[in-house]
């Protein structure tokens, strides 16, 4: 791996971060807070939240098996996707490589940050070849984006190829594991110690059922996390989110139960889709959604919208012509979708 100093934008490497009232006394016991110009009334909302979310990180560390110093928490994964550009990519000069098709935010954040985005097409089984990805890099490539299970395709990327990319690239490899709770694939966050150039993303938005609170996480070396902490907004995760996430983390068995039900329903839905005359193919999936190739995805999409049922039309996405992406809902919701599709004429 190239040194972090060389990977980092020079202005970020030398940045003196904002020092908030609350970091300066950190670690010592305090009773009287007259340092932050807060209103002393209206507790607990009158106080600024913990900028480093230490209590929440300890709870996440236990559930995810990653030390708290290796965790960054952000306002959704969105923040954890944007920050690496801001920290490592010189606008107009550096570039990133990503698989195609994949989650749209990697490209949107590249465009916002004026960083060249180099998509590398997956093969017809939606798999990667490490050599193809590595061949798309040059001396200005700072990041390779991978997503497994991938969105919108639903499949896991082959582990040997993912490891080849991590081991064969001198810059950062970011692996988005937003859907890993639905998958039997081994999570890469347990291999962080082995790969100093690896960043693994997770979110509370999917299996944990907390999309509304906006909590995303990045797991990486403590050196990379320290750079993120320097650049993020000082109070990027608000108190309500921290409290709600702590509550959710007390109920990991509830998540296991949701996942179990959703996977059973996924099997039922995939089986039902395969019997539909208007469905040509269902791609194998490791997530809480699946991709189905239909006879006429745009027409079927509009038909469903007219009935108040919204799925994701992926017809215009490369390799996904005539594909709809179906999220697994409750049993009655899933049944309603199937019933509507059976009536499609
Ligand atoms: C849904 C999703 C996320 C979650 O984003 P949040 O900002 O945490 O809600 C991240 N990555 C992928 C690939 C997703 O599909």
């Amino acid at each position: 791996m190239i040194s972090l100093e060389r990977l980092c934008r020079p202005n970020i490497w030398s940045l003196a971060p904002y020092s908030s009232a609350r970091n300066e006394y950190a670690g010592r016991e305090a009773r009287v807070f007259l340092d932050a110009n807060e209103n002393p009334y209206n507790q607990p909302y009158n106080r600024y939240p913990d900028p480093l979310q230490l209590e929440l990180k300890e709870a996440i560390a236990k559930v995810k098996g990653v030390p708290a110093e290796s965790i960054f928490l952000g306002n959704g994964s969105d923040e954890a996707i944007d920050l690496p550009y801001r920290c490592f990519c010189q606008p107009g000069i550096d570039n990133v490589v990503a698989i195609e098709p994949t989650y749209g935010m990697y490209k949107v954040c590249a465009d916002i940050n004026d960083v060249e985005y180099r998509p590398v097409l997956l093969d017809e089984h939606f798999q990667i070849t490490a050599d193809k990805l590595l061949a798309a890099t040059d001396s200005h490539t700072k990041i390779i984006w991978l997503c497994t299970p991938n969105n919108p395709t639903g499949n896991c990327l082959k582990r040997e190829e993912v490891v080849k990319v991590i081991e064969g690239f001198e810059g950062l490899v970011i692996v988005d594991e937003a859907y890993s709770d639905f998958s039997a694939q081994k999570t890469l966050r347990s291999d962080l110690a082995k790969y100093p150039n690896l960043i693994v993303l997770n979110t509370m938005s999917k299996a944990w059922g907390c999309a509304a609170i906006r909590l995303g996480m990045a797991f990486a070396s403590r050196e990379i996390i320290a750079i993120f902490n320097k650049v993020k907004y000082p109070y990027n995760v608000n108190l309500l989110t921290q409290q709600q996430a702590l509550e959710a983390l007390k109920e990991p068995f509830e998540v296991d139960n949701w996942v179990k039900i959703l996977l059973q329903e996924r099997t039922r839905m995939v089986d039902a889709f395969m019997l539909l005359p208007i469905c040509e193919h269902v791609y194998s999936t490791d997530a809480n959604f699946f991709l189905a190739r239909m006879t006429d995805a745009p027409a079927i999409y509009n038909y469903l919208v007219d009935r108040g049922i919204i799925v994701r039309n992926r017809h215009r996405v490369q390799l996904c012509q005539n594909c709809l992406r179906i999220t697994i809902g409750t049993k009655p919701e899933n049944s309603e979708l199937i019933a509507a599709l059976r009536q499609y004429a």
Side-chain angles (χ1 to χ4, degrees):
M1 178 189 177
I2 307 176
S3 74
L4 269 184
E5 180 170 2
R6 274 185 55 212
L7 276 176
C8 204
R9 293 169 64 190
N11 61 311
I12 299 301
W13 188 257
S14 60
L15 176 74
Y18 174 70
S19 179
S20 67
R22 285 300 128 82
N23 327 87
E24 288 188 351
Y25 82 91
R28 281 161 292 159
E29 279 302 313
R31 293 170 298 107
V32 180
F33 292 100
L34 304 176
D35 57 342
N37 299 344
E38 298 149 333
N39 185 325
Y41 307 111
N42 197 35
Q43 284 192 31
Y45 305 110
N46 60 327
R47 298 295 179 194
Y48 283 100
D50 176 5
L52 291 174
Q53 311 101 18
L54 291 179
E55 188 187 358
L56 179 52
K57 281 179 185 168
E58 289 299 340
I60 290 174
K62 284 207 186 82
V63 172
K64 301 284 183 179
V66 174
E69 317 83 69
S70 280
I71 302 175
F72 164 83
L73 299 180
N75 187 332
S77 307
D78 295 338
E79 184 178 2
I81 292 167
D82 189 50
L83 259 185
Y85 287 106
R86 297 170 61 207
C87 294
F88 297 106
C89 300
Q90 199 68 336
I93 295 173
D94 289 331
N95 66 70
V96 303
V97 167
I99 56 173
E100 177 79 13
T102 192
Y103 187 48
M105 278 304 285
Y106 315 141
K107 177 167 193 314
V108 171
C109 289
D111 291 345
I112 290 170
N113 288 286
D114 191 19
V115 171
E116 185 198 344
Y117 185 83
R118 300 182 171 183
V120 174
L121 205 60
L122 297 171
D123 70 18
E124 71 268 40
H125 306 293
F126 298 140
Q127 281 301 333
I128 55 168
T129 315
D131 293 339
K132 242 178 105 179
L133 280 162
L134 295 170
T137 65
D138 65 17
S139 63
H140 286 294
T141 306
K142 295 296 185 71
I143 298 168
I144 297 179
W145 289 98
L146 301 175
C147 181
T148 180
N150 190 24
N151 177 5
T153 60
N155 63 301
C156 286
L157 303 178
K158 279 201 203 107
R159 171 58 73 113
E160 317 88 76
E161 295 298 308
V162 171
V163 167
K164 256 200 210 172
V165 172
I166 299 169
E167 289 180 342
F169 183 51
E170 299 219 283
L172 300 169
V173 179
I174 307 183
V175 183
D176 189 341
E177 293 190 338
Y179 298 98
S180 62
D181 290 310
F182 299 103
S183 164
Q185 89 173 342
K186 194 171 153 282
T187 163
L188 272 163
R189 65 176 182 267
S190 40
D191 291 348
L192 282 173
K194 222 181 335 178
Y195 305 123
N197 61 334
L198 174 65
I199 300 173
V200 177
L201 304 186
N202 250 207
T203 178
M204 296 287 282
S205 297
K206 305 290 157 61
W208 285 81
C210 288
I213 72 172
R214 311 306 302 131
L215 189 74
M217 39 204 119
F219 305 114
S221 72
R222 60 171 74 205
E223 291 80 10
I224 291 173
I225 299 297
I227 296 171
F228 287 169
N229 284 340
K230 214 159 80 147
V231 175
K232 76 180 186 69
Y233 291 160
Y235 304 105
N236 61 326
V237 179
N238 72 66
L239 177 71
L240 296 171
T241 295
Q242 294 190 44
Q243 286 176 339
Q244 200 55 46
L246 277 167
E247 286 307 305
L249 286 160
K250 287 181 190 155
E251 316 279 351
F253 299 115
E254 186 153 30
V255 176
D256 293 343
N257 194 40
W258 288 331
V259 168
K260 203 176 100 205
I261 296 168
L262 291 171
L263 294 184
Q264 279 167 4
E265 277 295 285
R266 188 182 74 189
T267 303
R268 182 172 80 90
M269 291 294 282
V270 167
D271 291 348
F273 261 69
M274 292 201 289
L275 294 174
L276 291 171
I278 55 171
C279 177
E280 291 182 340
H281 186 70
V282 179
Y283 291 93
S284 73
T285 178
D286 258 301
N288 65 331
F289 62 85
F290 62 93
L291 195 66
R293 196 173 70 240
M294 312 299 283
T295 49
D296 185 350
I300 296 165
Y301 173 80
N302 287 328
Y303 164 88
L304 290 171
V305 171
D306 286 343
R307 276 151 194 78
I309 301 171
I310 313 300
V311 298
R312 195 92 156 111
N313 180 9
R314 298 285 79 187
H315 177 57
R316 304 222 157 271
V317 172
Q318 281 205 74
L319 301 182
C320 299
Q321 289 88 343
N322 272 319
C323 286
L324 298 178
R325 193 193 69 193
I326 315 291
T327 305
I328 305 302
T330 63
K331 283 182 194 196
E333 288 169 339
N334 300 333
S335 297
E336 199 178 325
L337 172 63
I338 291 294
L341 288 173
R342 283 182 184 141
Q343 283 168 22
Y344 181 83

